Amino acid sequence: MDTPFYVQFFWFLGALLFILGLKGMSSPVTARKGIVWAGYGMIIAVVATFFVPGLQNIALMVAALLIGSAVAWISGQKVQMTDMPQMVAIYNGMGGGAAAAIAAVEFSRGGHHDLATTTLTVIGALIGAVSFTGSCVAFAKLQGIMKKAFRLPAQNTVNVVLALLSVVLGVAVIGMSPADPMLIVLFFVVALVLGLIVTLPIGGADMPVVISLFNAFTGLAVGFEGYMQNNPTLIIAGIVVGASGTLLTQLMAKAMNRPLTNILFSPITGNGEGGQAIEGTMKELNALDAAAMMRYASKVIIVPGYGMAVAHAQHKVWEMTALLEEAGVEVKFAIHPVAGRMPGHMNVLLAEAGVPYDKIYDLEEINGEFPQCDVALIIGANDVVNPTARTDKSSPIYGMPILDADMAQNVIVIKRGKGTGYSGVENALFYTDNCRMLYGDAQPMAGEIIQHLKTMG
Ligand code: NAP
């Protein structure tokens, strides 16, 4: 039965809103609006689908929608900003799982499609299933449910064998019409295990890149299933997600100077392997001295990192910035593309605290300003300001573009102790003559600085 024109029109409208929403999300100024538009697009597309003639199991669909919406609403209200990566992982996994489930239902019905459609359905099923289990592992690791990376003795060989086996089974499913149910089950089992096995050895901190990759996979899977269902909204939404996920994955891999193959097949262990020994000592200062150095500076650049997110210190940091500005100090924020644990992590936190966008600068924009700045204040950042990335070829972060905080006249680092960053390597910056360490949790430390700034007037 043909889909009526008005349903197609509303699907088209939904797809248009997805694209406009994505465009909005490309800037922090319009991101909130973009998300709302994409949300309206989704509501329009879902409601329009109920008007497709001959629809069955409407009660089941409504029940699934109600349960799904309730779970998403409650978890969306409760989630902490620092737990956002795992939330993205699990929702992404659901998308991949849904695409695989659509294909499974189609196979079980034994529907007759042309070769191209069956092939796309099988490819969609494969990547959807891989993305489902892989995203579940990513969620478990980021949520702390799965604490250790698990690596098989011949991990890469096992990956290749499973990948080949799933392709062979997929080709067999395409060739046999209708396919044997056992063959279909075996195909899905191998694809699900492949997602698990590929993801298990990857460390928690590499997960955002992997989640982004799975996100791109899910988009493709949804797009392919949309082709099989003859549903343009699914095709467009899938392509949009697939393309943006691919670009984001590339951006993160580039910002870490690590090829994707390296992230997937030679994950960073975080145990500090590699890197030359660093000479010198770390020199301490107290909150009063830190406040005085910044209060009497003309220009301060703040470099936030993962530790600021963990400490939820963004509101205090903004309060401190406002006091410095009142005292006539020029303050800017320098954001590394992979500061924190997901792209845009710092931008979102600072925006949440009320920091205006025009004070936030990307790496390329701000790096030239460090030599003219009196104080670079590093709050819970480590790898993104590690100068060994420029010089030490044996370091796991060699080649990663960094913020040139070491070139500032003075550097103050707020962190709790001598802990390394995610890469596990020592930071040469902390041992330099112009650097002073302010040990403590970022939030109370920023609070102490605020008190001193207030006393100084
Ligand atoms: P980082 O290198 O992980 O360092 C964070 C630092 O914060 C640690 O050295 C830690 O030292 C300190 N810290 C932790 N809790 C703190 C607290 N409560 N108060 C104060 N300090 C605290 O962080 P980063 O410089 O932001 O770099 C991000 C890293 O993640 C990069 O290596 C990047 O490649 C990786 N990564 C990022 C993404 C992404 O998309 N953003 C994706 C994948 C990987 P103490 O323990 O001594 O306090």
Side-chain angles (χ1 to χ4, degrees):
M1 218 178 291
D2 279 346
T3 311
F5 173 76
Y6 60 90
V7 172
Q8 299 212 24
F9 170 77
F10 282 109
W11 278 350
F12 175 73
L13 191 65
L16 206 67
L17 283 167
F18 292 158
I19 295 170
L20 286 175
L22 190 71
K23 173 90 186 72
M25 286 177 227
S26 62
S27 152
V29 184
T30 50
R32 209 178 277 262
K33 224 188 288 170
I35 288 170
V36 173
W37 282 355
Y40 283 136
M42 188 56 85
I43 293 172
I44 290 172
V46 170
V47 172
T49 305
F50 280 95
F51 292 90
V52 171
L55 214 61
Q56 290 162 4
N57 296 325
I58 293 187
L60 269 180
M61 286 162 65
V62 172
L65 273 174
L66 289 178
I67 296 171
S69 307
V71 171
W73 181 267
I74 295 167
S75 53
Q77 299 284 324
K78 280 190 176 166
V79 69
Q80 295 282 328
M81 202 48 100
T82 40
D83 293 342
M84 213 45 117
Q86 47 267 51
M87 178 131 173
V88 174
I90 197 71
Y91 283 158
N92 182 53
M94 295 301 126
I102 292 173
V105 169
E106 200 56 31
F107 292 148
S108 70
R109 281 210 291 230
H112 287 278
H113 294 293
D114 57 61
L115 183 65
T117 312
T118 314
T119 308
L120 287 185
T121 309
V122 168
I123 299 173
L126 173 60
I127 48 188
V130 168
S131 180
F132 172 65
T133 42
S135 299
C136 289
V137 173
F139 168 79
K141 289 199 172 186
L142 292 171
Q143 190 67 21
I145 300 168
M146 201 180 270
K147 295 217 162 57
K148 280 195 178 152
F150 168 84
R151 204 174 166 77
L152 292 170
Q155 178 73 45
N156 290 348
T157 315
V158 176
N159 289 350
V160 171
V161 169
L162 279 172
L164 286 177
L165 188 60
S166 58
V167 170
V168 169
L169 289 168
V171 171
V173 170
I174 297 167
M176 218 186 263
S177 180
D180 182 341
M182 276 318 287
L183 181 67
I184 296 172
V185 170
L186 192 63
F187 164 71
F188 275 108
V189 169
V190 173
L192 291 168
V193 172
L194 175 63
L196 272 182
I197 296 291
V198 167
T199 322
L200 278 172
I202 299 172
D206 266 338
M207 276 306 165
V209 188
V210 176
I211 292 168
S212 171
L213 181 70
F214 284 143
N215 188 31
F217 278 5
T218 298
L220 274 182
V222 168
F224 289 164
E225 300 317 330
Y227 184 81
M228 183 262 289
Q229 298 271 318
N230 202 12
N231 183 328
T233 328
L234 279 185
I235 299 175
I236 295 173
I239 290 171
V240 165
V241 172
S244 55
T246 307
L247 287 174
L248 186 62
T249 312
Q250 270 183 342
L251 185 144
M252 279 198 262
K254 194 168 159 239
M256 295 161 82
N257 193 40
R258 296 181 61 210
L260 199 55
T261 45
N262 188 292
I263 292 168
L264 289 177
F265 304 120
S266 325
I268 282 187
T269 57
N271 61 9
E273 279 166 16
Q276 292 162 1
I278 298 164
E279 287 173 9
T281 52
M282 295 193 200
K283 295 157 281 291
E284 230 178 297
L285 94 171
N286 58 32
L288 175 61
D289 292 339
M293 273 170 82
M294 290 191 286
R295 166 67 181 76
Y296 298 106
S298 3
K299 183 170 181 171
V300 171
I301 299 180
I302 299 178
V303 180
Y306 178 64
M308 184 190 80
V310 178
H312 303 286
Q314 61 274 19
H315 293 277
K316 291 266 180 246
V317 171
W318 175 227
E319 198 183 333
M320 181 185 74
T321 305
L323 285 171
L324 287 171
E325 287 186 330
E326 267 173 37
V329 183
E330 184 190 6
V331 185
K332 290 185 173 181
F333 287 84
I335 311 289
H336 191 281
V338 291
R341 289 293 180 269
M342 62 178 179
H345 202 167
M346 297 300 122
N347 305 65
V348 172
L349 292 178
L350 295 177
E352 183 209 359
V355 178
Y357 302 119
D358 60 0
K359 294 196 187 304
I360 300 176
Y361 293 83
D362 291 336
L363 182 138
E364 299 82 21
E365 293 170 326
I366 197 94
N367 253 356
E369 297 191 28
F370 279 105
Q372 294 91 47
C373 114
D374 304 290
V375 181
L377 175 67
I378 296 167
I379 305 179
N382 195 335
D383 293 341
V384 300
V385 288
N386 191 343
T388 45
R390 283 192 218 114
T391 49
D392 182 358
K393 288 194 176 159
S394 64
S395 169
I397 59 167
Y398 177 70
M400 170 168 149
I402 57 152
L403 286 164
D404 293 337
D406 56 318
M407 301 200 178
Q409 306 296 318
N410 298 284
V411 182
I412 301 172
V413 181
I414 302 181
K415 68 200 290 285
R416 295 163 310 172
K418 296 193 165 49
T420 54
Y422 129 82
S423 67
V425 295
E426 280 291 340
N427 193 332
L429 167 67
F430 303 161
Y431 296 83
T432 53
D433 287 340
N434 61 342
C435 182
R436 295 289 177 274
M437 310 299 290
L438 180 53
Y439 291 120
D441 187 275
Q443 197 181 137
M445 272 306 147
E448 273 190 44
I449 295 177
I450 289 170
Q451 289 314 318
H452 292 304
L453 286 174
K454 283 184 176 162
T455 321
M456 287 170 201

